[in-house]
Amino acid sequence: MKRYQTPLGRVKGLGSAHAGSSHWLAQRVTAAVLAVLFLWFAFSFASLYGKEYLEVMVWVGTPFNTVLLVTLIVTAIYHAILGLQVVIEDYVHKACQRTILINAMRVILSIIGLAIVWAIIRVGLVVSTMMIH
């Protein structure tokens, strides 16, 4: 069997891009984590159907739910960044445009993720101060 890898690549154990396998693994791990978290979220959120606004806020503000919601958002944003990066790398052929698009996408999705996480934490803080009083 003929190997199409350079001698240096065989010694280092890296592919041509040097990061493909870790990117692939991260995509699969985040997908598995998202599957579990989304099932939790879907069933938990469905149980809130017809509840009052304050009851939903208390649900979000519960420390367990807050941590899982933040984990869901961070994982989803990271998974989206990984997936969109692959799409951009596959379909944008000019290196300069590709780099700009990947960096812009990362910045925009990071800002969106931080805003959502901030909103969840803020609700958690409001609920915790309501519980104290």
Side-chain angles (χ1 to χ4, degrees):
M1 179 171 174
K2 186 168 178 151
R3 296 187 66 178
Y4 296 103
Q5 196 173 24
T6 65
L8 181 61
R10 280 194 295 273
V11 170
K12 288 185 172 183
L14 300 172
S16 61
H18 309 294
S21 59
S22 63
H23 190 103
W24 179 87
L25 183 62
Q27 186 81 21
R28 290 345 177 246
V29 169
T30 56
V33 170
L34 280 174
V36 173
L37 286 174
F38 184 77
L39 285 173
W40 162 81
F41 177 74
F43 288 113
S44 297
F45 203 71
S47 71
L48 295 173
Y49 181 75
K51 302 282 183 174
E52 297 281 328
Y53 174 75
L54 287 175
E55 290 175 291
V56 175
M57 278 189 60
V58 168
W59 179 83
V60 172
T62 305
F64 179 75
N65 293 334
T66 302
V67 168
L68 287 181
L69 280 172
V70 167
T71 305
L72 174 69
I73 297 302
V74 169
T75 306
I77 294 293
Y78 183 60
H79 184 78
I81 287 171
L82 291 172
L84 288 172
Q85 179 178 338
V86 170
V87 171
I88 292 169
E89 288 172 349
D90 286 347
Y91 293 106
V92 178
H93 300 292
K94 294 183 180 177
C96 182
Q97 287 178 343
R98 185 172 44 241
T99 303
I100 290 170
L101 281 173
I102 289 173
N103 288 329
M105 176 266 305
R106 285 180 178 173
V107 168
I108 290 168
L109 285 179
S110 296
I111 290 170
I112 291 169
L114 286 172
I116 296 170
V117 167
W118 172 247
I120 293 169
I121 291 172
R122 201 166 154 206
V123 169
L125 292 173
V126 167
V127 169
S128 67
T129 57
M130 285 176 20
M131 296 294 183
I132 293 173
H133 292 95

